[in-house]
Amino acid sequence: MADRNIQLDGLRGIAALNVAIFHTILGINETLIQRVVYGKFSDLTGPYDWFAKILLKIFSGETAVFIFFVLSGTVLFQSLMRDRAPWLATSGKFVVRRAFRIYPALIGCLLFNVAVYTIIGQPITLYSFLINASLYDFPLNGVTWTLNVEMVGVAFVLLAYFGWRLTGIVGLAAAALLIWLFFRYSEIPLAITFKYFLFYFVVGMLIPTRIGETVARYTPPPATLLFVLFAIFFKSTVQQIAIGLLVMMIFYHRAGVLGVWLSAPLAQFLGRISYSLYLYNFVIFVYFCSYAKRFNWITDHPIEDGLLVSLFTVGATLPLAYLSMKFIEIPGIALGRIVTSRNKSIAIRAA
């Protein structure tokens, strides 16, 4: 397999776009959250609610976030599987590089949040900035709660990798069971949220193993469409497995037409800027939606008008995301590699 699967990049880009559209629609009319998003089909009161339910399923930001977590499990575990250095050396490099991947763009976006909130007259305290930057709480940028899950997931992925290095799939499963038992009976304040998403990381980590390879080999490519539909319209375990199977088919280049579509230039562009698109869109949609809601007629048709407003929120976010990707993300990734390579060189000279 090639070192980088561009179809996974495309999937990540489309997922980030879905989050942006989803948030904009809900920002137009927040009553949709409890009434439609979390409401049962049997509780819907009319054709418009049904229309809203289906559209919000298709553009579900929640499903997109679940895809992010499965992708993280897959890509991170695959990168560790390639590394044959001692576990401690691999772990140190992995943690440092992950931190340089996550934090530079996060800090840059939070500074942008502060600037925008200051301009619109919403004062921000240093405490709010620091607590959001530490990913302990999220008063400036609500979507950064997922980064808390991602950073806590680093420790879990490393533990699973340690188990895998010892006894293969059995060790990986044992590590997952250990973490599940720990979170069932204990809580770490910084990691409370992670326990709800453990299974997504487990599913993702199984994909680059022989289990994922075997299942993908015997699964016909047309089944990918079923996995997409199940991921969109089901919840709980069925959705988790469907997302895992979807990512698996894309990972092994067996997604057929969907894989071709995810390789297209637009999906690839969105994939490259997906992290910053996800971060920066939050403050953009909050500003645009607060302005749009001044017109009462918009809240009466939140789906159509939310889709319309999302053209502006996404359009305004794209250049910011591109600049962040080019001048913050890429240099941060490069710096992480330089730091870990230098430490490796020092260790070799010391030996």
Side-chain angles (χ1 to χ4, degrees):
M1 292 182 57
D3 285 346
R4 188 172 188 90
N5 186 322
I6 64 170
Q7 293 180 8
L8 293 181
D9 291 336
L11 178 62
R12 188 180 292 106
I14 297 302
L17 180 63
N18 265 28
V19 171
I21 295 173
F22 183 75
H23 281 163
T24 303
I25 293 173
L26 297 183
I28 293 296
N29 189 337
E30 296 177 359
T31 66
L32 292 173
I33 298 174
Q34 293 300 323
R35 184 167 55 85
V36 175
V37 175
Y38 295 119
K40 298 179 181 179
F41 278 99
S42 58
D43 295 332
L44 300 180
T45 58
Y48 192 84
D49 279 0
W50 279 86
F51 170 65
K53 184 76 170 180
I54 293 172
L55 262 292
L56 289 171
K57 282 282 188 181
I58 293 173
F59 292 106
S60 174
E62 287 190 332
T63 302
V65 167
F66 299 156
I67 290 173
F68 290 151
F69 294 152
V70 174
L71 283 171
S72 291
T74 300
V75 174
L76 295 179
F77 200 71
Q78 183 195 30
S79 70
L80 288 169
M81 290 172 66
R82 294 172 178 162
D83 199 326
R84 296 301 176 184
W87 183 76
L88 284 177
T90 298
S91 299
K93 181 174 70 175
F94 180 75
V95 171
V96 171
R97 289 189 175 185
R98 193 62 179 157
F100 275 95
R101 177 69 182 96
I102 296 293
Y103 278 98
L106 168 64
I107 299 302
C109 182
L110 291 179
L111 290 173
F112 177 76
N113 285 152
V114 170
V116 171
Y117 290 156
T118 301
I119 291 172
I120 65 177
Q122 182 176 335
I124 300 298
T125 65
L126 178 61
Y127 176 77
S128 296
F129 179 86
L130 293 177
I131 200 171
N132 206 143
S134 69
L135 299 178
Y136 185 82
D137 199 2
F138 321 101
L140 293 188
N141 192 317
V143 301
T144 55
W145 71 267
T146 61
L147 302 186
N148 172 284
V149 176
E150 293 280 359
M151 291 307 298
V152 174
V154 167
F156 168 62
V157 171
L158 284 173
L159 179 62
Y161 173 65
F162 178 70
W164 182 81
R165 285 277 293 257
L166 290 178
T167 57
I169 294 295
V170 174
L172 192 161
L177 179 60
L178 179 64
I179 293 294
W180 179 78
L181 289 172
F182 175 82
F183 280 118
R184 185 173 183 181
Y185 298 107
S186 304
E187 286 189 350
I188 301 176
L190 191 62
I192 290 176
T193 308
F194 178 77
K195 64 182 178 182
Y196 302 110
F197 306 102
L198 168 65
F199 188 73
Y200 293 101
F201 282 86
V202 174
V203 169
M205 288 187 294
L206 287 173
I207 289 172
T209 68
R210 288 185 178 180
I211 290 179
E213 183 180 8
T214 301
V215 175
R217 185 185 305 127
Y218 293 103
T219 303
T224 303
L225 177 59
L226 287 178
F227 301 150
V228 171
L229 294 175
F230 275 60
I232 290 174
F233 291 106
F234 285 81
K235 290 185 176 182
S236 191
T237 305
V238 173
Q239 185 188 52
Q240 294 169 348
I241 295 174
I243 291 173
L245 292 171
L246 170 63
V247 174
M248 175 195 72
M249 296 299 281
I250 297 171
F251 181 83
Y252 288 102
H253 299 280
R254 290 181 57 79
V257 175
L258 176 61
V260 175
W261 184 60
L262 293 175
S263 302
L266 176 59
Q268 288 301 296
F269 173 72
L270 293 173
R272 288 194 299 274
I273 66 169
S274 57
Y275 178 38
S276 288
L277 173 63
Y278 177 77
L279 288 176
Y280 281 85
N281 184 254
F282 177 82
V283 67
I284 296 297
F285 96 79
V286 168
Y287 176 78
F288 269 88
C289 289
S290 63
Y291 178 80
K293 285 191 293 187
R294 297 177 183 178
F295 305 97
N296 294 331
W297 54 269
I298 282 185
T299 59
D300 295 333
H301 301 88
I303 301 299
E304 306 94 306
D305 296 324
L307 289 172
L308 177 63
V309 175
S310 69
L311 294 177
F312 295 94
T313 61
V314 173
T317 307
L318 288 178
L320 291 171
Y322 177 78
L323 292 173
S324 173
M325 178 271 295
K326 186 172 183 178
F327 296 108
I328 300 179
E329 288 186 53
I330 292 177
I333 294 169
L335 184 58
R337 290 173 178 168
I338 292 171
V339 169
T340 52
S341 298
R342 181 177 300 171
N343 287 343
K344 182 179 179 180
S345 301
I346 294 172
I348 291 174
R349 289 198 299 269

